[in-house]
Amino acid sequence: MESEANLSQELAANEVEAQTEATAPIGETTEATPQTAETVEEAPAAEAPAEEATTQEAPATEEAAVEEAPATEEAPAIEASAEGETLVATPDVAPAQSKMDLARIAKEELIERAKQLSESSEWRKTSDAQRALMEEWRAAGYAGKEQNDKLWDEFRAARDVFFTRRDEHYAELRAHQAEVIKDKKRIIEEAKELTADIHNWVKTSDALNELMNRWKSAGNAGRENEQQLWEEFNGIRRDFRTRRKADLAERRSKERENADAKRKLVEEAKAIAESEEYIRENSDRMRALNEEYKAIGYAGRPANDTLWQELRAAQNAYWEGNSARRNQQRRERSERLQEAVERKNGQIEHLKDQNETLTTRLESTLNPEKVAQIKRWIEENEERVGDLKDDIDQIKKKI
């Protein structure tokens, strides 16, 4: 029968609509599932609700009216007056005719209510209301062949406005969800590629956070798809965090080992500096300590900075002491050289005095052999003076 076909389609639409309730993906227990800007109902995962009774027609035979008519007149029938008032039927009014009038009045009211609902965008709530109207329509009874068909066409047209809009809404929503699915699958692939080979945990974490922002702004992919996609994407994020924690623990352990190794070098540098033995072996070792320290690697904060400062302080103390010692040595050497210059200048003056004395003797000596000997002495002294002057020049270059 016609009414049974209507009921079947209504139930089918109700089942489809129940599948369209949008829910956000359930994430980890310690992390909320990202919320999307999608506040409308999701499109059904299956096909959209079929168009409501677009081809149905009201019962066309009077047999339906006869079946609905009461067997006996247990109560007076009610009909509408010309002015629209509800009247109690008199014995002169046929019960069947009164029942059809009542059905017509009820169905006209249902048509108005259907029109009022036709522009609603509360899809689920209004669908339930439309189904309730259909139940009331079936219960309203038969309004006569001519009136019944006319009223049914009006009622169906008013309902079709809403269900057509609803179907268009769900079609658009399904198209939007299809794009969301594509976007989120791309995000998942990017996340996989990003975390496949990690060289910088901080940069990778920042990039994953940006992907999370894109995920939130992408929208909702529908209850079934959204849950599956979210579990895959969030699984990549959880795996990243697990690997990062393991890497951090490993690096912390290595940093502690490096700190211990560097601390030993710092203690050795301090011992060399405190010895104040500024010898070549100590200087070479201090330079080697600096290179060994750098080769060990990062020791973590604050140990890395603190140990480096301690090493530099020990090295500076040693090199400053070594520099002070060398300056003292240079001063002492300069003083010794200056004393040597003064001694040689004294020797030169002494030789000059000797030559003056020898020259005086030469003028008063008549013995040729003695004259030759004195001249030889004078020449030897002059040669000695020249050598002393050369020595002084060389010493002054060293001062």
Side-chain angles (χ1 to χ4, degrees), residues 66-89:
V66 173
E67 291 176 1
E68 295 176 359
T72 60
E73 296 186 10
E74 297 179 355
I78 301 174
E79 62 178 353
S81 68
E83 289 77 14
E85 298 179 352
T86 302
L87 303 176
V88 178

Side-chain angles (χ1 to χ4, degrees), residues 131-182:
R131 278 188 287 275
L133 289 182
M134 178 60 76
E135 294 301 322
E136 292 185 45
W137 182 274
R138 293 190 182 102
Y142 188 64
K145 170 63 176 174
E146 182 178 354
Q147 287 294 325
N148 212 62
D149 291 347
K150 176 177 177 295
L151 293 170
W152 169 249
D153 290 341
E154 292 183 22
F155 181 63
R156 184 179 61 182
R159 285 164 50 82
D160 285 349
V161 171
F162 167 75
F163 286 111
T164 299
R165 291 178 54 248
R166 187 193 67 173
D167 292 347
E168 291 175 351
H169 163 76
Y170 284 138
E172 292 176 1
L173 193 55
R174 284 194 300 273
H176 170 70
Q177 289 172 349
E179 291 301 319
V180 172
I181 291 172
K182 290 181 182 178

Side-chain angles (χ1 to χ4, degrees), residues 46-269:
E47 296 181 359
E51 184 176 347
E52 282 293 326
T54 55
T55 61
Q56 297 177 2
E57 294 182 357
T61 64
E62 295 185 1
E63 283 75 6
V66 173
E67 291 176 1
E68 295 176 359
T72 60
E73 296 186 10
E74 297 179 355
I78 301 174
E79 62 178 353
S81 68
E83 289 77 14
E85 298 179 352
T86 302
L87 303 176
V88 178
T90 65
D92 296 334
V93 180
Q97 183 64 35
S98 298
K99 190 173 182 64
M100 286 190 290
D101 288 340
L102 290 173
R104 175 181 57 77
I105 294 170
K107 289 185 175 183
E108 287 176 348
E109 180 183 350
L110 291 174
I111 291 170
E112 291 303 317
R113 288 163 59 187
K115 289 180 179 179
Q116 292 174 2
L117 294 174
S118 64
E119 297 301 324
S120 173
S121 295
E122 296 181 2
W123 310 113
R124 180 64 183 272
K125 180 179 178 181
T126 306
S127 294
D128 293 340
Q130 290 283 12
R131 278 188 287 275
L133 289 182
M134 178 60 76
E135 294 301 322
E136 292 185 45
W137 182 274
R138 293 190 182 102
Y142 188 64
K145 170 63 176 174
E146 182 178 354
Q147 287 294 325
N148 212 62
D149 291 347
K150 176 177 177 295
L151 293 170
W152 169 249
D153 290 341
E154 292 183 22
F155 181 63
R156 184 179 61 182
R159 285 164 50 82
D160 285 349
V161 171
F162 167 75
F163 286 111
T164 299
R165 291 178 54 248
R166 187 193 67 173
D167 292 347
E168 291 175 351
H169 163 76
Y170 284 138
E172 292 176 1
L173 193 55
R174 284 194 300 273
H176 170 70
Q177 289 172 349
E179 291 301 319
V180 172
I181 291 172
K182 290 181 182 178
D183 290 343
K184 291 193 171 181
K185 284 184 176 180
R186 281 195 294 267
I187 291 173
I188 289 172
E189 292 305 315
E190 290 182 37
K192 288 179 180 178
E193 183 178 353
L194 187 65
T195 58
D197 187 15
I198 301 172
H199 300 286
N200 187 312
W201 292 99
V202 174
K203 289 183 178 179
T204 303
S205 178
D206 292 342
L208 275 179
N209 289 338
E210 180 59 30
L211 289 181
M212 185 62 184
N213 292 334
R214 285 171 54 191
W215 183 279
K216 292 178 180 179
S217 62
N220 194 291
R223 177 166 51 187
E224 180 179 353
N225 293 315
E226 181 68 25
Q227 179 68 18
Q228 180 181 354
L229 292 169
W230 168 248
E231 289 178 357
E232 185 174 2
F233 176 59
N234 203 38
I236 296 172
R237 296 171 66 242
R238 285 197 302 268
D239 178 68
F240 167 79
R241 289 194 295 270
T242 299
R243 291 161 58 195
R244 184 178 186 181
K245 289 178 181 178
D247 177 80
L248 180 61
E250 182 179 351
R251 284 189 290 117
R252 289 289 181 264
S253 176
K254 181 62 177 177
E255 287 170 0
R256 287 192 291 271
E257 293 178 5
N258 291 345
D260 291 340
K262 288 185 173 183
R263 192 170 289 107
K264 291 180 181 179
L265 297 182
V266 170
E267 295 302 323
E268 184 179 352

Side-chain angles (χ1 to χ4, degrees), residues 18 29 56 71 81 83 141 182 190 282 291 293 312 344 347 366 384:
T29 56
Q56 297 177 2
S81 68
E83 289 77 14
K182 290 181 182 178
E190 290 182 37
N282 284 345
E291 296 302 320
Y293 183 95
R312 294 301 299 162
K344 291 182 182 296
Q347 292 173 3
L366 298 178
R384 181 58 180 161

Side-chain angles (χ1 to χ4, degrees), residues 9-26:
Q9 289 196 6
E10 286 291 339
L11 292 175
N14 188 33
E15 291 177 0
V16 172
E17 286 183 8
Q19 297 175 1
T20 65
E21 288 296 314
T23 58
I26 301 174

Side-chain angles (χ1 to χ4, degrees), residues 351-363 370-386:
L351 292 172
K352 287 181 178 180
D353 291 342
Q354 285 183 349
N355 282 351
E356 288 179 2
T357 300
L358 290 172
T359 300
T360 301
R361 289 177 58 186
L362 181 61
E363 292 176 353
K370 196 65 173 177
V371 170
Q373 185 179 19
I374 291 173
K375 287 182 178 180
R376 193 165 51 253
W377 286 344
I378 291 173
E379 290 176 358
E380 289 176 356
N381 286 343
E382 288 178 349
E383 289 178 2
R384 181 58 180 161
V385 168

